[in-house]
Amino acid sequence: MAKILILAETNGRRLKTVCLEILSHIDESHQRDILIFGDLSQSLSEELARYGANQIICLKSDALKYYSPEGHAEVMSNYIKEYNYDYIFSGSTALGKDLLPRVSGLLQAGMISEVTEFHLKDEVFTGVRPLFSGKCLTKVQFEGSPPYFVTVRSNAMGLSKNPVPGPGTVVDVPVKINNLRLVVQEIVRGTSQKLDLTEAHIIISGGRALKSAQNFKILEDLADVLNASVGASRAAVDAGFAPHAMQVGQTGKTVAPSLYIACGISGAIQHLAGMRTSHVIVAINTDPEAPIFSKADYGIIGDLFKIVPLLTEEFKTLLN
Amino acid sequence: MNPYDEFAVEQSLLHKTAHPGSTVTVIRVGQSRNTEILRTALAMGADSGILVETSDLIDSYMTALAIKAAIKKSEKNPDIIFTGKQAIDSDCLQVPQLLAQMLNLPSVTMVVDVVKIKDPLVVKREIEGGSCEIYSYDDPVVIACNKGLNTPRYASLPGIMKAKRKSLQVYSLEELKIDESHRKVRSFDFQLPPEKPPGKLFDCTDESTMATHVKTVASLLRHEAKII
């Protein structure tokens, strides 16, 4: 039995799905505890229990209200040390990506970033992760002694179909922070009400062929019907049609949604790098030779300005 | 050069301009034949370079240790460290935070904007859903740069000529006392991602069949792919 701690995060009133994905892919022979900064509502702790959580540790301090890489790392590493955890997992989220390397550095421990698959056999972790923007895959294992740190790409593994529930006992742990030099002063909220691209189950993305920022409206309309988020290619971002936060690809976000609809995106290697682990890919493009078609499960050759509105109407009918 | 490192080099040069009297040192951990990358940074305007030679693939932990050791050995006491947010081969996004932790410095990653360059330094870190966190700080810190922060300059011809005479210190991993015993992660069994079977293609260039094809795709997404 390995002692496992999974960092969970909430996004408003719901849990980020990636922590449930991780939890449901580790079998019940291991001790699967959850770590949360702050409070957790009863319904969310019940949800974690359904997916197998043993204890749900809520680290509490007024100083944790605003994110501080050092402060959060300090309290997390203290907890890991005190209870001798073997493995610490987190989603490859903005928080997980920033915090876990610091905690692993504090404990002089190894860390594996953004696996798309993993298993624990006889307590030995083996993961699979993309290299060179997904052009190559490698298996990864740890050297040396625990603890070991792992981040997992959201949506890459999906939820296991038959999770074994756990007790989900909530434990409040008041903590003190000694080392606080740099703290978030202010958070500037984005305007979008939609899920972040890295978490979205469906993404509708637009390329340079959209021709203007206003034309992204037709993608928004489709996204509203499918409860999807809207992304953009680098060409569209560089042309000023969309903000960088919406960019999918090598210098943008890496995503793995269930469905990725690429509209007017040719499919440069840098774009494919950001979305090739999507489960189903639909491409709409006027150029039948566009490289995106080689990655598409369903390719539509034609004018996106005619096809996207038709798709929107079609899904409206289907979903009613 | 890794595009994120270009943003870091550019930001360090902007920082130098805003703080007269400063110098910029660029450090690279990698194979010795790749000194062009350091020469490019020197040609852009950095003052000196350090190369830590490695023969093999080393992990993030060893890379951060090597940078820390090179900083100590060269007796540079940086007031600020700029890095790219991640490499674009291994895509780990660990070294900036690990290095900060090893040097006992605070860090801000995914920096997309410098709101104020001094007194104090104010930066924006991109989080999720287009939101940003704002940090302000005036003491030594590690800043990991993301796209959007600045537009990296091109090296000028005089810059390229001058770069040839700038100092380039070379250390080996052995000199820095780093070896395989520091390795934390082993990669093996490199493979190409599985080829996707060819998808279904629908030609909608003809308006008369467009509506039928779109209907078929929507129906396939629901009944075959079972997503919608």
Side-chain angles (χ1 to χ4, degrees), chain B residues 14 17 37-38 48 51 61 80 93-94 137 139 171-172 177-178 190 205:
Chain B
L14 295 173
T17 311
I37 293 172
L38 282 175
S48 62
L51 173 71
Y61 194 85
I80 186 159
L93 217 143
Q94 292 186 24
Y137 198 61
D139 289 315
Y171 299 129
S172 65
K177 301 194 171 59
I178 295 164
F190 296 90
T205 40

Side-chain angles (χ1 to χ4, degrees), chain A residues 234-252:
Chain A
R234 175 183 169 167
V237 170
D238 286 355
F241 304 166
H244 176 246
M246 275 168 63
Q247 186 182 324
V248 173
Q250 192 168 63
T251 45

Side-chain angles (χ1 to χ4, degrees), chain A residues 16 97-98 102 108 113 129 132 137 141 143 185-186 188 196 247 250 297-299 301 306, chain B residues 4 89-90 92 94 97 105 107 109 128-129 132 134 147 184 186 191 196 200 202 204 207 224:
Chain A
K16 290 194 178 169
K97 283 198 275 203
D98 189 62
R102 280 210 82 110
Q108 295 172 18
S113 295
R129 63 184 307 273
F132 299 101
L137 298 174
Q141 286 185 334
E143 303 262 305
Q185 306 258 305
E186 189 189 335
V188 185
D196 187 70
Q247 186 182 324
Q250 192 168 63
D297 298 273
Y298 305 106
I301 305 165
K306 290 178 185 146
Chain B
Y4 299 115
D89 47 7
S90 60
C92 283
Q94 292 186 24
Q97 300 94 303
L105 294 177
S107 55
T109 61
E128 279 140 353
C132 284
I134 295 183
K147 188 187 169 182
K184 303 284 186 190
R186 187 167 66 91
Q191 288 187 353
K196 254 193 154 168
K200 295 183 176 149
F202 301 87
C204 292
E207 301 242 351
E224 188 179 76

Side-chain angles (χ1 to χ4, degrees), chain A residues 188-200:
Chain A
V188 185
R189 292 278 164 216
T191 47
S192 174
Q193 298 302 310
K194 298 192 164 95
L195 270 180
D196 187 70
L197 287 171
T198 52
E199 281 193 88

Side-chain angles (χ1 to χ4, degrees), chain B residues 191-210:
Chain B
Q191 288 187 353
L192 291 175
E195 268 303 312
K196 254 193 154 168
K200 295 183 176 149
L201 212 53
F202 301 87
D203 189 345
C204 292
T205 40
D206 183 350
E207 301 242 351
S208 62
T209 53
M210 188 185 284

Side-chain angles (χ1 to χ4, degrees), chain A residues 9 16 67 69-70 73 93-95 97-98 101-102 104-106 108-114 126 129-143 179 181-192 196 198 202 226 234 237-238 244-245 247 250-253 258-259 276 278-282 293-303 306-307 310-311 314-315 318-319, chain B residues 3-4 7 57 60-61 85-86 88-98 100-110 112 124-137 140-141 146-148 180 183-207 210-211 213-225 227-228:
Chain A
E9 294 170 65
K16 290 194 178 169
Y67 180 55
E70 291 169 284
T93 58
L95 175 71
K97 283 198 275 203
D98 189 62
R102 280 210 82 110
S104 73
L106 258 171
Q108 295 172 18
M111 169 168 167
I112 292 175
S113 295
E114 206 157 356
T126 309
R129 63 184 307 273
L131 284 180
F132 299 101
S133 319
K135 275 175 260 174
C136 161
L137 298 174
T138 179
K139 288 191 178 153
V140 271
Q141 286 185 334
F142 289 102
E143 303 262 305
N179 192 358
R181 288 178 289 190
L182 181 72
V183 186
V184 171
Q185 306 258 305
E186 189 189 335
I187 295 180
V188 185
R189 292 278 164 216
T191 47
S192 174
D196 187 70
T198 52
I202 301 180
L226 295 177
R234 175 183 169 167
V237 170
D238 286 355
H244 176 246
Q247 186 182 324
Q250 192 168 63
T251 45
K253 293 191 166 142
S258 312
L259 173 61
R276 66 198 304 161
S278 302
H279 297 264
V280 173
I281 297 169
V282 175
F293 284 124
S294 69
K295 301 285 172 232
D297 298 273
Y298 305 106
I300 303 177
I301 305 165
D303 180 2
K306 290 178 185 146
I307 291 158
L310 279 176
L311 264 181
E314 199 51 45
F315 285 130
L318 268 181
L319 292 170
Chain B
Y4 299 115
F7 300 127
L57 276 179
S60 303
Y61 194 85
K85 70 157 174 148
Q86 70 187 73
I88 56 162
D89 47 7
S90 60
D91 291 330
C92 283
L93 217 143
Q94 292 186 24
V95 171
Q97 300 94 303
L98 278 172
Q101 191 59 57
M102 288 170 182
L103 293 169
N104 189 23
L105 294 177
S107 55
V108 187
T109 61
M110 307 284 275
V112 288
K124 253 189 197 175
R125 166 177 132 82
E126 186 183 344
I127 47 172
E128 279 140 353
S131 300
C132 284
E133 293 172 344
I134 295 183
Y135 294 83
S136 89
Y137 198 61
V141 60
N146 196 1
K147 188 187 169 182
E180 279 296 310
R183 179 177 289 282
K184 303 284 186 190
V185 175
R186 187 167 66 91
S187 300
F188 60 102
D189 196 8
F190 296 90
Q191 288 187 353
L192 291 175
E195 268 303 312
K196 254 193 154 168
K200 295 183 176 149
L201 212 53
F202 301 87
D203 189 345
C204 292
T205 40
D206 183 350
E207 301 242 351
M210 188 185 284
H213 282 328
V214 168
K215 221 181 190 50
T216 313
V217 173
S219 159
L220 283 169
L221 284 173
R222 189 178 182 94
H223 300 291
E224 188 179 76
I227 294 171
I228 308 285

